[in-house]
Coordinates of all heavy atoms in Angstrom, one line a residue:
M1 N 56.6 -97.0 35.0 CA 57.9 -97.1 34.2 C 58.5 -95.8 33.8 O 57.8 -94.8 33.3 CB 57.6 -97.9 33.0 CG 58.9 -98.3 32.2 SD 58.4 -99.0 30.5 CE 58.8 -97.5 29.5
K2 N 59.8 -95.7 34.1 CA 60.5 -94.4 33.8 C 61.1 -94.5 32.3 O 61.4 -95.5 31.8 CB 61.7 -94.3 34.7 CG 61.8 -92.9 35.3 CD 63.0 -92.7 36.4 CE 63.7 -91.4 35.9 NZ 65.1 -91.4 35.7
L3 N 60.9 -93.4 31.7 CA 61.3 -93.4 30.3 C 62.9 -92.9 30.3 O 63.3 -91.9 30.7 CB 60.6 -92.2 29.5 CG 59.3 -92.5 28.9 CD1 58.8 -91.4 28.2 CD2 59.4 -93.8 28.1
G4 N 63.7 -94.0 29.8 CA 65.1 -93.7 29.7 C 65.4 -92.9 28.4 O 64.5 -92.8 27.6
K5 N 66.7 -92.6 28.2 CA 67.2 -92.0 27.2 C 66.8 -92.8 25.9 O 66.4 -92.4 24.8 CB 68.6 -91.8 27.2 CG 69.1 -90.4 27.0 CD 70.6 -90.2 27.0 CE 71.0 -88.8 27.0 NZ 72.3 -88.6 27.3
R6 N 67.0 -94.2 26.0 CA 66.9 -95.0 24.8 C 65.4 -95.0 24.3 O 65.2 -95.1 23.2 CB 67.4 -96.5 25.2 CG 68.9 -96.6 25.2 CD 69.3 -97.9 25.4 NE 68.8 -98.8 24.4 CZ 69.4 -100.0 24.1 NH1 70.5 -100.3 24.7 NH2 68.8 -100.8 23.2
D7 N 64.5 -95.1 25.4 CA 63.1 -95.1 24.9 C 62.7 -93.9 24.2 O 62.1 -93.9 23.2 CB 62.2 -95.2 26.2 CG 62.7 -96.4 27.0 OD1 62.7 -97.6 26.5 OD2 62.8 -96.3 28.3
V8 N 63.2 -92.7 24.6 CA 62.9 -91.4 24.0 C 63.5 -91.5 22.5 O 62.7 -91.2 21.7 CB 63.4 -90.3 24.8 CG1 63.2 -89.0 24.0 CG2 62.8 -90.2 26.2
L9 N 64.7 -92.0 22.4 CA 65.4 -92.0 21.1 C 64.5 -93.0 20.1 O 64.2 -92.7 19.0 CB 66.7 -92.6 21.3 CG 67.6 -92.4 20.0 CD1 68.0 -91.0 19.8 CD2 68.8 -93.3 20.1
F10 N 64.1 -94.1 20.8 CA 63.3 -95.0 20.0 C 61.9 -94.4 19.5 O 61.5 -94.4 18.3 CB 62.9 -96.2 20.8 CG 62.3 -97.3 20.1 CD1 62.8 -98.0 19.1 CD2 61.0 -97.7 20.5 CE1 62.3 -99.0 18.4 CE2 60.2 -98.7 19.8 CZ 60.8 -99.5 18.7
L11 N 61.3 -93.7 20.4 CA 60.0 -93.0 20.1 C 60.2 -92.0 18.9 O 59.5 -91.9 17.9 CB 59.5 -92.2 21.3 CG 58.5 -93.2 22.2 CD1 58.1 -92.4 23.4 CD2 57.3 -93.6 21.4
V12 N 61.3 -91.1 19.1 CA 61.6 -90.2 18.0 C 61.8 -90.8 16.7 O 61.4 -90.3 15.7 CB 62.8 -89.4 18.4 CG1 63.3 -88.4 17.3 CG2 62.5 -88.5 19.7
L13 N 62.6 -92.0 16.7 CA 62.8 -92.6 15.5 C 61.4 -93.1 14.8 O 61.3 -93.0 13.6 CB 63.6 -93.8 15.7 CG 65.2 -93.6 15.6 CD1 66.0 -94.8 16.0 CD2 65.5 -93.1 14.3
I14 N 60.6 -93.6 15.6 CA 59.2 -94.1 15.1 C 58.5 -93.0 14.4 O 57.9 -93.0 13.4 CB 58.4 -94.7 16.2 CG1 59.1 -96.1 16.8 CG2 57.1 -95.0 15.7 CD1 59.1 -97.2 16.0
V15 N 58.4 -91.9 15.3 CA 57.7 -90.7 14.8 C 58.3 -90.2 13.4 O 57.6 -90.0 12.5 CB 57.7 -89.6 15.8 CG1 57.2 -88.3 15.2 CG2 56.8 -90.0 16.9
A16 N 59.6 -90.1 13.4 CA 60.4 -89.6 12.2 C 59.9 -90.6 11.0 O 59.7 -90.1 9.8 CB 61.8 -89.6 12.4
L17 N 60.0 -92.0 11.3 CA 59.7 -92.9 10.2 C 58.4 -92.7 9.6 O 58.2 -92.7 8.4 CB 59.9 -94.3 10.8 CG 59.7 -95.5 9.7 CD1 60.8 -95.5 8.8 CD2 59.7 -96.9 10.4
V18 N 57.3 -92.6 10.6 CA 55.9 -92.4 10.2 C 55.8 -91.1 9.3 O 55.1 -91.2 8.2 CB 55.1 -92.4 11.4 CG1 53.7 -92.0 11.0 CG2 54.9 -93.8 12.0
A19 N 56.4 -90.2 9.9 CA 56.4 -88.9 9.0 C 56.9 -89.0 7.7 O 56.3 -88.5 6.6 CB 57.1 -87.8 9.7
V20 N 58.1 -89.6 7.5 CA 58.6 -89.8 6.2 C 57.7 -90.6 5.3 O 57.5 -90.3 4.1 CB 60.1 -90.5 6.4 CG1 60.5 -91.0 5.0 CG2 61.0 -89.6 6.9
L21 N 57.2 -91.7 5.9 CA 56.2 -92.6 5.1 C 55.2 -91.9 4.6 O 54.6 -91.9 3.5 CB 55.9 -93.8 5.9 CG 56.8 -94.8 6.1 CD1 56.5 -96.0 6.9 CD2 57.3 -95.3 4.7
A22 N 54.5 -91.1 5.5 CA 53.4 -90.2 5.2 C 53.6 -89.2 4.0 O 52.9 -89.2 3.1 CB 52.7 -89.5 6.4
R23 N 54.7 -88.6 4.2 CA 55.2 -87.7 3.1 C 55.3 -88.4 1.8 O 54.9 -87.8 0.8 CB 56.4 -87.0 3.4 CG 56.3 -85.7 4.2 CD 57.5 -84.9 4.2 NE 58.0 -84.5 3.0 CZ 58.9 -83.6 2.7 NH1 59.5 -82.9 3.6 NH2 59.3 -83.3 1.4
H24 N 56.0 -89.5 1.9 CA 56.2 -90.2 0.7 C 54.9 -90.7 0.0 O 54.8 -90.5 -1.3 CB 57.1 -91.5 1.0 CG 57.7 -92.1 -0.3 ND1 58.5 -91.6 -1.2 CD2 57.3 -93.4 -0.9 CE1 58.7 -92.4 -2.1 NE2 58.0 -93.5 -2.0
R25 N 54.0 -91.1 0.9 CA 52.7 -91.6 0.2 C 52.1 -90.4 -0.4 O 51.5 -90.5 -1.5 CB 51.8 -92.0 1.5 CG 50.4 -92.2 1.0 CD 50.3 -93.7 0.5 NE 49.0 -93.9 0.0 CZ 48.7 -94.1 -1.4 NH1 49.8 -94.2 -2.2 NH2 47.6 -94.4 -1.8
G26 N 52.1 -89.1 0.1 CA 51.6 -88.0 -0.6 C 52.2 -87.7 -1.8 O 51.5 -87.3 -2.8
S27 N 53.5 -87.9 -2.0 CA 54.2 -87.5 -3.1 C 53.8 -88.5 -4.3 O 54.1 -88.3 -5.4 CB 55.7 -87.4 -2.9 OG 56.2 -88.8 -2.8
E28 N 53.4 -89.7 -4.0 CA 53.1 -90.6 -5.0 C 51.7 -90.3 -5.6 O 51.5 -90.7 -6.7 CB 53.0 -92.1 -4.5 CG 54.3 -92.6 -4.1 CD 55.2 -93.0 -5.2 OE1 54.9 -94.1 -5.8 OE2 56.1 -92.2 -5.5
Q29 N 51.0 -89.5 -5.0 CA 49.5 -89.2 -5.4 C 49.6 -88.1 -6.3 O 50.0 -86.9 -6.0 CB 48.7 -88.9 -4.3 CG 47.3 -89.3 -4.4 CD 47.0 -90.7 -4.1 OE1 47.4 -91.2 -3.1 NE2 46.5 -91.5 -5.1
G30 N 49.3 -88.2 -7.6 CA 49.3 -87.1 -8.6 C 48.0 -86.3 -8.4 O 47.3 -86.5 -7.4
K31 N 47.9 -85.2 -9.1 CA 46.8 -84.3 -9.0 C 45.6 -85.3 -9.5 O 45.6 -86.1 -10.3 CB 46.9 -83.2 -10.0 CG 48.0 -82.3 -9.4 CD 47.9 -81.0 -10.4 CE 48.9 -79.9 -9.8 NZ 48.9 -78.7 -10.7
P32 N 44.4 -84.7 -8.9 CA 43.1 -85.6 -9.3 C 42.9 -85.3 -10.9 O 43.3 -84.3 -11.4 CB 42.2 -85.0 -8.5 CG 42.6 -83.7 -7.9 CD 44.1 -83.8 -8.0
V33 N 42.4 -86.3 -11.4 CA 41.9 -86.1 -12.9 C 40.7 -85.2 -12.9 O 39.7 -85.5 -12.1 CB 41.5 -87.4 -13.4 CG1 41.1 -87.3 -14.9 CG2 42.6 -88.5 -13.3
P34 N 40.7 -84.2 -13.7 CA 39.6 -83.2 -13.7 C 38.4 -83.9 -14.2 O 38.4 -84.8 -15.1 CB 40.0 -82.1 -14.7 CG 41.3 -82.6 -15.2 CD 41.8 -83.8 -14.5
L35 N 37.2 -83.5 -13.7 CA 35.9 -84.2 -14.3 C 35.4 -83.2 -15.3 O 34.3 -82.6 -15.0 CB 35.1 -84.3 -13.0 CG 35.0 -85.6 -12.3 CD1 34.0 -85.6 -11.2 CD2 34.9 -86.7 -13.2
D36 N 36.0 -83.1 -16.4 CA 35.5 -82.2 -17.5 C 35.1 -83.1 -18.7 O 35.2 -84.4 -18.5 CB 36.6 -81.2 -17.8 CG 37.9 -81.8 -18.2 OD1 37.9 -83.2 -18.3 OD2 38.9 -81.2 -18.2
A37 N 34.7 -82.5 -19.8 CA 34.3 -83.3 -20.9 C 35.3 -84.2 -21.3 O 34.9 -85.3 -21.9 CB 33.9 -82.3 -22.0
V38 N 36.6 -83.9 -21.3 CA 37.5 -84.8 -21.8 C 37.7 -86.1 -21.0 O 37.9 -87.1 -21.5 CB 38.9 -84.0 -21.9 CG1 40.1 -85.0 -22.0 CG2 38.9 -83.0 -23.0
H39 N 37.6 -85.8 -19.6 CA 38.0 -86.9 -18.8 C 36.7 -87.7 -18.2 O 36.8 -88.8 -17.8 CB 38.7 -86.4 -17.6 CG 40.0 -85.9 -18.1 ND1 40.2 -84.6 -18.4 CD2 41.2 -86.4 -18.1 CE1 41.5 -84.2 -18.6 NE2 42.1 -85.5 -18.6
R40 N 35.6 -87.1 -18.4 CA 34.4 -87.8 -17.8 C 34.1 -89.1 -18.4 O 33.7 -90.1 -17.7 CB 33.1 -86.8 -18.0 CG 31.9 -87.2 -17.2 CD 30.7 -86.3 -17.4 NE 31.1 -85.1 -16.7 CZ 30.8 -84.8 -15.3 NH1 30.4 -86.0 -14.7 NH2 31.1 -83.8 -14.8
P41 N 34.3 -89.2 -19.7 CA 33.9 -90.5 -20.3 C 34.7 -91.8 -19.7 O 34.3 -92.9 -19.5 CB 34.4 -90.3 -21.8 CG 34.2 -89.0 -22.1 CD 34.5 -88.3 -20.8
F42 N 36.0 -91.4 -19.2 CA 36.9 -92.4 -18.7 C 36.2 -92.7 -17.3 O 36.2 -93.9 -16.9 CB 38.3 -91.8 -18.4 CG 39.0 -91.6 -19.7 CD1 39.2 -90.5 -20.3 CD2 39.6 -92.8 -20.3 CE1 39.8 -90.3 -21.6 CE2 40.3 -92.6 -21.4 CZ 40.6 -91.5 -22.1
Q43 N 35.8 -91.8 -16.7 CA 35.2 -92.1 -15.3 C 33.9 -93.0 -15.4 O 33.7 -93.9 -14.7 CB 34.8 -90.8 -14.5 CG 34.7 -91.0 -13.2 CD 33.6 -90.2 -12.4 OE1 32.8 -89.5 -13.2 NE2 33.6 -90.1 -11.2
E44 N 33.1 -92.5 -16.4 CA 31.8 -93.3 -16.7 C 32.1 -94.6 -17.2 O 31.5 -95.7 -16.7 CB 31.1 -92.5 -17.8 CG 30.2 -91.5 -17.2 CD 29.7 -90.5 -18.2 OE1 29.8 -90.8 -19.4 OE2 29.2 -89.4 -17.7
A45 N 33.2 -94.9 -17.9 CA 33.6 -96.2 -18.4 C 33.9 -97.1 -17.2 O 33.5 -98.3 -17.0 CB 34.7 -96.2 -19.3
L46 N 34.7 -96.5 -16.2 CA 35.1 -97.3 -15.0 C 33.8 -97.5 -14.2 O 33.8 -98.6 -13.7 CB 36.0 -96.4 -14.1 CG 37.5 -96.3 -14.7 CD1 38.4 -95.4 -13.9 CD2 38.1 -97.7 -14.7
A47 N 33.0 -96.5 -14.0 CA 31.8 -96.8 -13.3 C 31.0 -97.9 -13.8 O 30.2 -98.6 -13.0 CB 31.0 -95.5 -13.1
N48 N 31.0 -98.0 -15.1 CA 30.2 -99.1 -15.8 C 30.9 -100.4 -15.9 O 30.6 -101.3 -16.6 CB 29.8 -98.7 -17.2 CG 28.8 -97.6 -17.2 OD1 28.1 -97.4 -16.2 ND2 28.9 -96.8 -18.1
G49 N 32.1 -100.5 -15.1 CA 32.8 -101.7 -15.0 C 34.0 -102.1 -15.8 O 34.4 -103.2 -15.9
A50 N 34.3 -101.0 -16.6 CA 35.5 -101.2 -17.4 C 36.8 -101.5 -16.6 O 36.9 -100.9 -15.5 CB 35.8 -100.1 -18.4
A51 N 37.7 -102.3 -17.1 CA 39.0 -102.5 -16.3 C 39.8 -101.2 -16.3 O 40.0 -100.5 -17.4 CB 39.6 -103.6 -17.1
R52 N 40.3 -101.0 -15.2 CA 41.3 -100.0 -15.0 C 42.4 -99.8 -16.0 O 42.6 -98.9 -16.7 CB 41.8 -99.7 -13.6 CG 42.7 -98.6 -13.3 CD 43.1 -98.4 -11.9 NE 43.8 -99.6 -11.4 CZ 45.2 -99.8 -11.7 NH1 45.8 -98.9 -12.3 NH2 45.7 -100.8 -11.0
E53 N 43.0 -101.0 -16.2 CA 44.2 -101.2 -17.1 C 43.9 -100.8 -18.5 O 44.7 -100.0 -19.2 CB 44.7 -102.5 -17.0 CG 45.5 -102.9 -15.7 CD 44.4 -103.4 -14.7 OE1 43.2 -103.3 -14.9 OE2 44.9 -103.8 -13.6
A54 N 42.6 -101.2 -18.9 CA 42.2 -101.0 -20.4 C 41.9 -99.5 -20.4 O 42.2 -98.9 -21.5 CB 41.0 -101.9 -20.7
T55 N 41.3 -99.0 -19.4 CA 40.9 -97.6 -19.6 C 42.0 -96.6 -19.6 O 42.0 -95.6 -20.5 CB 40.0 -97.3 -18.3 OG1 39.0 -98.2 -18.2 CG2 39.5 -95.7 -18.4
E56 N 43.0 -97.0 -18.9 CA 44.3 -96.1 -18.8 C 45.0 -96.0 -20.2 O 45.7 -95.1 -20.4 CB 45.3 -96.7 -17.8 CG 44.9 -96.5 -16.4 CD 45.6 -97.3 -15.4 OE1 46.1 -98.3 -15.8 OE2 45.6 -96.9 -14.3
Q57 N 44.7 -97.0 -21.1 CA 45.4 -97.0 -22.4 C 45.0 -95.8 -23.1 O 45.8 -95.2 -23.9 CB 45.0 -98.2 -23.2 CG 45.3 -99.6 -22.5 CD 46.7 -99.9 -22.4 OE1 47.4 -99.7 -23.3 NE2 47.1 -100.4 -21.3
G58 N 43.7 -95.2 -22.8 CA 43.3 -94.0 -23.4 C 44.1 -92.8 -23.0 O 44.1 -91.7 -23.8
C59 N 44.5 -92.7 -21.9 CA 45.2 -91.5 -21.2 C 46.3 -91.0 -22.2 O 46.5 -89.9 -22.4 CB 45.6 -91.8 -19.9 SG 44.5 -92.5 -18.8
V60 N 47.1 -92.0 -22.6 CA 48.3 -91.5 -23.4 C 48.1 -91.1 -24.7 O 49.0 -90.6 -25.4 CB 49.4 -92.8 -23.3 CG1 50.0 -93.0 -22.0 CG2 48.7 -94.0 -23.8
R61 N 46.9 -91.3 -25.2 CA 46.5 -90.7 -26.5 C 46.8 -89.2 -26.4 O 47.1 -88.5 -27.4 CB 45.0 -91.0 -26.8 CG 44.7 -91.2 -28.2 CD 43.2 -91.6 -28.3 NE 42.5 -90.4 -28.1 CZ 41.2 -90.6 -27.4 NH1 41.0 -91.8 -26.9 NH2 40.6 -89.5 -27.2
C62 N 46.6 -88.5 -25.3 CA 46.8 -87.1 -25.1 C 48.0 -86.8 -24.3 O 48.8 -85.8 -24.7 CB 45.7 -86.5 -24.6 SG 44.0 -86.7 -25.6
H63 N 48.2 -87.5 -23.3 CA 49.3 -87.2 -22.3 C 50.5 -88.0 -22.8 O 50.4 -89.0 -23.5 CB 48.9 -87.6 -20.9 CG 47.7 -86.7 -20.4 ND1 47.9 -85.4 -20.0 CD2 46.4 -87.0 -20.2 CE1 46.7 -85.0 -19.5 NE2 45.8 -86.0 -19.7
A64 N 51.6 -87.7 -22.3 CA 52.8 -88.4 -22.6 C 53.1 -88.4 -24.1 O 53.7 -89.3 -24.6 CB 52.8 -89.9 -22.0
T65 N 52.5 -87.4 -24.7 CA 53.0 -87.2 -26.1 C 53.7 -85.8 -26.2 O 53.8 -85.1 -25.2 CB 51.7 -87.0 -27.1 OG1 51.0 -85.8 -26.7 CG2 51.0 -88.2 -26.9
A66 N 54.3 -85.4 -27.3 CA 55.1 -84.2 -27.5 C 54.1 -83.1 -27.2 O 54.6 -82.1 -26.6 CB 55.7 -84.1 -28.7
A67 N 52.9 -83.1 -27.6 CA 52.0 -82.1 -27.4 C 51.6 -81.8 -26.0 O 51.5 -80.7 -25.6 CB 50.7 -82.4 -28.2
R68 N 51.6 -82.8 -25.2 CA 51.1 -82.8 -23.8 C 52.1 -83.7 -22.9 O 51.6 -84.7 -22.5 CB 49.6 -83.1 -23.6 CG 49.1 -82.8 -22.2 CD 47.6 -82.9 -22.3 NE 47.1 -81.9 -23.2 CZ 47.0 -80.6 -22.7 NH1 47.4 -80.2 -21.5 NH2 46.5 -79.8 -23.6
P69 N 53.3 -83.2 -22.8 CA 54.2 -84.1 -22.2 C 53.9 -84.3 -20.7 O 53.4 -83.2 -20.0 CB 55.6 -83.5 -22.4 CG 55.2 -82.0 -22.6 CD 53.9 -82.0 -23.2
L70 N 54.2 -85.4 -20.1 CA 54.2 -85.4 -18.6 C 55.4 -84.6 -18.0 O 56.5 -84.5 -18.7 CB 54.3 -86.9 -18.2 CG 53.0 -87.7 -18.7 CD1 53.4 -89.3 -18.4 CD2 51.8 -87.3 -18.1
P71 N 55.3 -84.2 -16.8 CA 56.4 -83.4 -16.3 C 57.7 -84.2 -16.2 O 57.6 -85.5 -16.0 CB 55.9 -83.2 -14.8 CG 54.6 -83.5 -14.8 CD 54.1 -84.4 -15.9
P72 N 58.9 -83.7 -16.3 CA 60.1 -84.4 -16.2 C 60.1 -85.1 -14.9 O 59.7 -84.6 -13.8 CB 61.1 -83.3 -16.4 CG 60.5 -82.0 -16.3 CD 59.0 -82.2 -16.5
G73 N 60.7 -86.3 -14.9 CA 60.8 -87.0 -13.6 C 59.4 -87.6 -13.2 O 59.4 -88.1 -12.1
H74 N 58.5 -87.6 -14.1 CA 57.3 -88.3 -13.7 C 57.4 -89.8 -13.5 O 58.2 -90.4 -14.2 CB 56.2 -88.1 -15.0 CG 54.9 -88.5 -14.6 ND1 54.5 -89.7 -14.7 CD2 53.8 -87.8 -14.2 CE1 53.2 -89.8 -14.5 NE2 52.7 -88.7 -14.1
P75 N 56.7 -90.3 -12.5 CA 56.8 -91.7 -12.2 C 56.6 -92.5 -13.5 O 55.8 -92.1 -14.3 CB 56.0 -92.0 -11.0 CG 55.5 -90.5 -10.6 CD 55.7 -89.5 -11.6
P76 N 56.9 -93.8 -13.3 CA 56.7 -94.8 -14.4 C 55.2 -94.7 -14.8 O 54.3 -94.6 -14.1 CB 56.9 -96.1 -13.8 CG 57.9 -95.9 -12.7 CD 57.7 -94.5 -12.2
K77 N 55.0 -94.7 -16.2 CA 53.7 -94.2 -16.6 C 52.5 -94.9 -16.6 O 51.4 -94.5 -16.1 CB 53.9 -93.8 -18.1 CG 55.0 -92.9 -18.3 CD 55.2 -92.5 -19.8 CE 56.3 -91.4 -20.1 NZ 57.6 -92.0 -20.0
E78 N 52.6 -96.2 -16.9 CA 51.3 -96.8 -17.4 C 49.9 -96.8 -16.4 O 48.8 -96.6 -16.9 CB 51.4 -98.2 -17.9 CG 51.6 -98.3 -19.4 CD 52.6 -97.4 -20.0 OE1 53.8 -97.6 -19.5 OE2 52.3 -96.6 -20.8
Q79 N 50.1 -96.8 -15.2 CA 49.0 -97.0 -14.3 C 48.5 -95.6 -13.8 O 48.4 -95.4 -12.5 CB 49.4 -97.9 -13.1 CG 49.8 -99.3 -13.7 CD 49.9 -100.2 -12.6 OE1 50.7 -100.1 -11.7 NE2 49.1 -101.4 -12.7
C80 N 48.1 -94.9 -14.8 CA 47.7 -93.6 -14.4 C 46.7 -93.4 -13.2 O 46.9 -92.6 -12.2 CB 46.9 -92.9 -15.6 SG 47.7 -93.2 -17.2
L81 N 45.7 -94.3 -13.2 CA 44.6 -94.1 -12.2 C 44.9 -94.7 -11.0 O 44.2 -94.5 -10.0 CB 43.3 -94.8 -12.8 CG 42.8 -94.1 -14.1 CD1 41.7 -94.8 -14.7 CD2 42.5 -92.6 -13.9
Y82 N 46.1 -95.3 -10.8 CA 46.5 -95.8 -9.5 C 47.0 -94.5 -8.7 O 46.8 -94.4 -7.5 CB 47.6 -96.7 -9.6 CG 48.2 -97.2 -8.4 CD1 47.6 -98.2 -7.7 CD2 49.4 -96.7 -7.9 CE1 48.0 -98.7 -6.4 CE2 49.9 -97.2 -6.6 CZ 49.2 -98.2 -5.9 OH 49.6 -98.7 -4.7
C83 N 47.5 -93.5 -9.3 CA 48.0 -92.3 -8.6 C 47.1 -91.1 -8.8 O 47.0 -90.3 -7.9 CB 49.4 -92.1 -9.1 SG 50.6 -93.2 -8.9
H84 N 46.4 -91.0 -10.0 CA 45.6 -89.9 -10.2 C 44.1 -90.4 -10.1 O 43.6 -91.1 -11.0 CB 45.8 -89.4 -11.6 CG 47.1 -88.8 -11.9 ND1 47.5 -87.6 -11.6 CD2 48.2 -89.4 -12.4 CE1 48.7 -87.3 -11.9 NE2 49.2 -88.4 -12.4
R85 N 43.6 -90.1 -9.0 CA 42.1 -90.5 -8.8 C 41.3 -89.4 -9.4 O 41.7 -88.2 -9.6 CB 41.8 -90.5 -7.2 CG 42.7 -91.4 -6.4 CD 42.4 -92.8 -6.9 NE 43.6 -93.7 -6.6 CZ 43.5 -94.8 -5.8 NH1 42.2 -95.1 -5.4 NH2 44.5 -95.4 -5.6
F86 N 40.0 -89.7 -9.8 CA 39.1 -88.8 -10.3 C 38.7 -87.8 -9.1 O 38.6 -88.2 -7.9 CB 37.9 -89.5 -10.9 CG 38.1 -90.1 -12.2 CD1 38.4 -91.4 -12.3 CD2 38.2 -89.3 -13.3 CE1 38.6 -91.9 -13.6 CE2 38.4 -89.7 -14.5 CZ 38.6 -91.1 -14.8
A87 N 38.5 -86.6 -9.5 CA 38.0 -85.7 -8.6 C 36.7 -86.2 -8.0 O 36.0 -87.0 -8.6 CB 37.8 -84.3 -9.2
A88 N 36.4 -85.8 -6.8 CA 35.3 -86.3 -6.1 C 34.0 -86.3 -7.0 O 33.7 -85.1 -7.5 CB 35.0 -85.6 -4.9
P89 N 33.3 -87.3 -7.2 CA 32.2 -87.3 -8.2 C 31.0 -86.4 -7.5 O 30.9 -86.4 -6.4 CB 31.7 -88.8 -8.2 CG 32.3 -89.4 -7.0 CD 33.6 -88.7 -6.6
R90 N 30.5 -85.8 -8.5 CA 29.3 -84.9 -8.0 C 27.9 -85.7 -8.1 O 27.8 -86.5 -9.2 CB 29.2 -83.7 -9.0 CG 30.2 -82.6 -8.6 CD 30.2 -81.4 -9.5 NE 30.8 -81.8 -10.8 CZ 30.8 -81.1 -11.9 NH1 30.2 -79.9 -11.9 NH2 31.5 -81.5 -12.9
H91 N 27.1 -85.5 -7.2 CA 25.9 -86.3 -7.3 C 24.7 -85.3 -7.5 O 24.7 -84.2 -7.3 CB 25.6 -87.1 -6.0 CG 26.6 -88.2 -5.8 ND1 26.5 -89.3 -6.6 CD2 27.7 -88.2 -5.0 CE1 27.4 -90.1 -6.2 NE2 28.2 -89.6 -5.2
Ligands
HEC101 C1 41.4 -86.1 -25.3 C2 42.7 -85.8 -24.7 C3 42.9 -86.2 -23.3 C4 42.7 -87.5 -22.8 C5 42.3 -88.8 -23.5 C6 43.0 -87.6 -21.4 N1 43.4 -86.3 -21.0 FE1 44.1 -85.6 -19.2 N2 44.0 -83.7 -19.7 C7 43.8 -83.2 -21.1 C8 43.8 -81.8 -21.1 C9 43.7 -80.9 -22.4 C10 44.2 -81.4 -19.8 C11 44.3 -79.9 -19.3 C12 42.9 -79.2 -19.3 C13 42.0 -79.8 -18.4 O1 42.2 -79.5 -17.0 O2 41.1 -80.4 -18.8 C14 44.2 -82.6 -18.9 C15 44.5 -82.6 -17.6 C16 44.7 -83.7 -16.9 C17 45.1 -83.8 -15.5 C18 45.3 -82.6 -14.6 C19 46.6 -81.9 -14.8 C20 46.7 -80.6 -14.0 O3 47.5 -79.8 -14.2 O4 45.8 -80.5 -13.0 C21 45.3 -85.0 -15.2 C22 45.8 -85.5 -13.8 C23 44.8 -85.9 -16.3 N3 44.5 -84.9 -17.4 C24 45.1 -87.2 -16.4 C25 44.4 -88.0 -17.4 C26 44.1 -89.4 -17.1 C27 44.4 -90.2 -16.0 C28 43.7 -89.8 -18.4 C29 43.0 -91.3 -18.7 C30 42.0 -91.8 -17.8 C31 43.5 -88.6 -19.3 N4 43.9 -87.5 -18.6 C32 43.1 -88.6 -20.5 C33 43.5 -84.0 -22.3 C34 43.3 -85.5 -22.2
HEC102 C1 53.4 -93.7 -9.6 C2 52.4 -92.7 -9.6 C3 51.8 -92.0 -10.9 C4 51.5 -92.7 -12.1 C5 51.4 -94.2 -12.4 C6 51.1 -91.6 -13.0 N1 51.3 -90.5 -12.5 FE1 51.0 -88.6 -13.3 N2 51.8 -87.7 -11.8 C7 52.2 -88.3 -10.5 C8 52.7 -87.3 -9.7 C9 53.4 -87.6 -8.3 C10 52.8 -86.0 -10.4 C11 53.3 -84.6 -10.0 C12 54.7 -84.7 -10.6 C13 55.5 -83.4 -10.5 O1 54.9 -82.5 -10.0 O2 56.6 -83.5 -10.9 C14 52.1 -86.3 -11.6 C15 51.9 -85.4 -12.6 C16 51.1 -85.5 -13.7 C17 50.5 -84.6 -14.6 C18 50.9 -83.0 -14.6 C19 49.9 -82.4 -13.6 C20 50.6 -81.2 -13.1 O3 51.3 -81.2 -12.0 O4 50.5 -80.2 -13.8 C21 49.9 -85.1 -15.6 C22 49.0 -84.5 -16.7 C23 49.8 -86.6 -15.3 N3 50.6 -86.8 -14.2 C24 49.2 -87.4 -16.1 C25 49.4 -88.9 -15.9 C26 49.0 -89.9 -16.9 C27 48.2 -89.6 -18.2 C28 49.5 -91.2 -16.4 C29 49.3 -92.5 -17.1 C30 50.0 -92.5 -18.5 C31 50.2 -90.9 -15.1 N4 50.1 -89.5 -14.9 C32 50.7 -91.9 -14.3 C33 52.0 -89.7 -10.2 C34 51.8 -90.6 -11.1

């Protein structure tokens, strides 16, 4: 089969679309949650079966306050751990 102009254009469009989606996916992912003394209890609670939604309620105690504001233009807040994964656990 010979590749016509239209086939090439179609391929280019697909590749561009995938690239845009991949970039967008990356931009939704926040920085990992550090595994320090402050954040480790949250990770342990989750590991012990606590609900993610309930655990996240604790995040705003420190973040999203005047003392530790989220960056301007930060995505809608409540589901922190959907976008911020914990740093890779150490074994
Ligand atoms: C007791 C206060 C406190 C609580 C509760 C807390 N954090 Fe934090 N968080 C901090 C502080 C202080 C820092 C910056 C210092 C550090 O890296 O530990 C930080 C840093 C972070 C960072 C990294 C920011 C960067 O610049 O890399 C993320 C992401 C984060 N927190 C998410 C969360 C999430 C998600 C939760 C809930 C599961 C949470 N935090 C709960 C105090 C808190
Ligand atoms: C929809 C995805 C999403 C959700 C939900 C979300 N974040 Fe973020 N967060 C991001 C992205 C993306 C960035 C980077 C934003 C930027 O650089 O402007 C970020 C940045 C941050 C930072 C600053 C880290 C830095 O770049 O210095 C902190 C702290 C943080 N988020 C904490 C939280 C907390 C706490 C919650 C829950 C209350 C939360 N996030 C919910 C996506 C999310």
Side-chain angles (χ1 to χ4, degrees):
M1 186 190 102
K2 228 182 133 229
L3 274 184
K5 231 182 187 168
R6 286 183 56 152
D7 300 314
V8 174
L9 194 70
F10 186 66
L11 272 176
V12 169
L13 272 176
I14 296 283
V15 169
L17 182 68
V18 169
V20 166
L21 286 178
R23 266 193 63 163
H24 189 67
R25 175 83 190 117
S27 75
E28 289 284 287
Q29 209 80 53
K31 290 193 180 176
V33 181
L35 268 184
D36 53 15
V38 164
H39 298 90
R40 190 178 292 277
F42 290 99
Q43 196 215 12
E44 280 164 5
L46 283 177
N48 292 331
R52 177 172 64 79
E53 290 84 353
T55 309
E56 289 164 334
Q57 306 291 317
C59 310
V60 286
R61 217 175 67 225
C62 299
H63 297 282
T65 64
R68 187 166 296 284
L70 295 172
H74 187 276
K77 296 181 178 81
E78 260 55 56
Q79 300 191 302
C80 318
L81 298 173
Y82 182 74
C83 301
H84 297 277
R85 303 297 161 124
F86 281 100
R90 280 174 286 171
H91 288 289

